[in-house]
Amino acid sequence: MRPGGSEKDHCQAMRTVVVDKIASITQARGLGHELRIAEDIPCEEGVIVVVEVLNNKSTYNTLELTSGRMAKVAKGDIVVGALGHRKALFGYSGRVPDSIKPGDVIQMLNIGGVLGVCESVNAEKGRPFDCRVMGVVLEFPYLGERIGVPARIGYKSLDYDAKLDTKGVPVIALAGTCMEAGKTAAACAIIARMRHRGLNVHAFKATGVSLRRDILAMEDAGARKSMIFTDFGVGTTTAKVGPALTRTMMTEMCAGDPDVVVFELGDGILGAYGVEAILASPDIRNGITGIVLSANDPVAAWGGVKLLRDQFGIEPAVVTGPSTDNQVGVDIIKDRMGVPAFNAMQDGAALGDRVIEAAGLAAKFPIRAAGE
């Protein structure tokens, strides 16, 4: 007999539910809108559950679907998400509940579909959506048998012993002083410039809370392949999983014969998502060709540069972000820190050119004259 009881037991525990919205955190499972659910819910990170939304919101009221579209969420919606935690400076913070059963109320912690117990609220986002738990989504992995097992996020499990092999491909990392420091905008500007100069670019996001929006933006900018930590069953990264995730994705992205790999370290260098643990890993540092620092203001830029230099022995290739929104910030960064600075929105081509130079690819992919 399979673990978890007989087929009869499972059939009695199952019921069918039709859902309205399927969050992007579950994308790897290829779920449809008619699902089988059960009441015995493993209270673990990454377990996929169905909930009913109990309130309306006027802000932070959308959900990223598996298609990548953002859909407005309203009271009464039946939504598929996954249990997880979040520790966000500019968002909600929460944890996986200690126990969970149908009828319990939990909260939607991010727009990617992470569900948990909210413990701290950012005033700008308002109170989160309250959600009544309906059950755990079941998968049926045993061919020809109606035995359901709780579904979990991700295409594959994370290998904590994964080795790093970049195959000599240059790798550019984007780190920030905190979340919402302009890392994704900078990554997109850099990738777009690389594509314009003829480079084959692969991209991934190594840390953060599950949301595919950033890697979709990188694809739109010209990245031919992309990945995110959620693909490996991780909804929210930590110091425990960050290094293994980064090694795995660096190796996989470099294996496809790109000219360069660009990846974003979500959140800030000082944060709960594992960026410090990644930069503290000697093999990862040695595998990174250059680091772009995105900073909100000149003081943040100064602190970020000092932290990279003093704690990790890393010399940033360039500074970008809101700290470079006008020439005043650019000049301060250049003069006080001795680091080039370019704004991704106003001078994206120059930012990209600087990164291409730092990657050692300027000679192989020269700047094309107009009309070429």
Side-chain angles (χ1 to χ4, degrees):
M1 186 176 69
R2 300 287 187 188
S6 68
E7 179 179 341
K8 182 178 179 182
D9 293 334
H10 281 274
C11 288
Q12 287 177 338
M14 291 188 298
R15 69 184 180 97
T16 300
V17 62
V18 177
V19 302
D20 300 306
K21 297 177 174 69
I22 304 172
S24 64
I25 192 172
T26 72
Q27 185 183 50
R29 308 325 305 164
L31 301 177
H33 284 268
E34 184 174 304
L35 300 171
R36 294 293 185 91
I37 63 172
E39 295 185 355
D40 187 8
I41 308 170
C43 200
E44 300 168 5
E45 191 125 4
V47 170
I48 300 175
V49 296
V50 176
V51 298
E52 178 188 1
V53 177
L54 299 179
N55 58 307
N56 289 312
K57 280 171 55 65
S58 59
T59 60
Y60 207 67
N61 60 353
T62 57
L63 182 73
E64 183 184 69
L65 307 180
T66 53
S67 64
R69 298 195 307 272
M70 292 290 180
K72 186 175 179 180
V73 177
K75 180 179 179 180
D77 280 348
I78 307 300
V79 173
V80 184
L83 297 179
H85 75 279
R86 187 185 187 195
K87 292 184 178 180
L89 181 63
F90 297 136
Y92 305 127
S93 291
R95 58 177 174 82
V96 176
D98 297 326
S99 63
I100 190 168
K101 63 184 184 302
D104 287 349
V105 175
I106 56 177
Q107 287 74 45
M108 191 175 294
L109 299 179
N110 89 319
I111 58 179
V114 175
L115 299 165
V117 177
C118 185
E119 297 179 315
S120 180
V121 173
N122 184 290
E124 292 185 359
K125 302 293 192 293
R127 289 290 308 171
F129 281 114
D130 287 322
C131 304
R132 181 183 292 114
V133 177
M134 298 178 66
V136 62
V137 173
L138 297 178
E139 291 184 315
F140 299 85
Y142 307 120
L143 186 63
E145 299 185 25
R146 290 171 54 80
I147 297 177
V149 298
R152 299 171 186 269
I153 62 173
Y155 294 98
K156 61 182 79 173
S157 299
L158 176 63
D159 179 5
Y160 285 87
D161 297 320
K163 304 301 181 184
L164 176 59
D165 182 5
T166 64
K167 299 186 182 301
V169 175
V171 177
I172 299 297
L174 289 100
T177 54
C178 68
M179 63 185 297
E180 298 183 11
K183 296 182 296 295
T184 304
C188 291
I190 291 165
I191 291 168
R193 182 57 172 172
M194 287 176 167
R195 290 294 300 128
H196 292 160
R197 287 182 60 171
L199 282 77
N200 175 12
V201 186
H202 292 178
F204 69 91
K205 187 168 182 178
T207 61
V209 183
S210 185
L211 189 66
R212 304 192 78 87
R213 177 178 61 191
D214 294 346
I215 61 168
L216 291 174
M218 293 180 203
E219 289 181 10
D220 291 342
R224 291 189 182 177
K225 292 184 179 180
S226 69
M227 299 184 78
I228 187 172
F229 50 86
T230 316
D231 296 339
F232 297 89
V234 177
T236 303
T237 61
T238 62
K240 179 181 177 181
V241 300
L245 283 165
T246 304
R247 292 185 187 100
T248 299
M249 288 189 278
M250 283 177 69
T251 298
E252 292 209 17
M253 289 286 94
C254 289
D257 199 29
D259 296 306
V260 64
V261 171
V262 174
F263 78 94
E264 178 184 337
L265 290 159
D267 194 33
I269 300 172
L270 297 178
Y273 294 150
V275 177
E276 282 186 276
I278 291 167
L279 296 179
S281 302
D283 60 333
I284 296 176
R285 282 204 312 273
N286 291 336
I288 294 173
T289 313
I291 285 192
V292 177
L293 175 67
S294 194
N296 290 85
D297 58 67
V299 174
W302 180 87
V305 169
K306 182 174 177 58
L307 190 62
L308 288 173
R309 287 171 173 168
D310 294 354
Q311 183 167 332
F312 305 109
I314 295 172
E315 182 63 27
V318 64
V319 173
T320 188
S323 60
T324 65
D325 277 355
N326 67 20
Q327 195 61 40
V328 174
V330 171
D331 290 343
I332 290 173
I333 292 166
K334 289 180 178 178
D335 295 343
R336 297 293 296 270
M337 294 153 233
V339 181
F342 298 96
N343 187 266
M345 309 303 293
Q346 301 173 26
D347 209 359
L351 174 62
D353 290 340
R354 168 60 192 142
V355 173
I356 292 169
E357 179 185 8
L361 296 169
K364 185 177 180 181
F365 297 94
I367 298 173
R368 299 170 182 172
E372 288 187 346

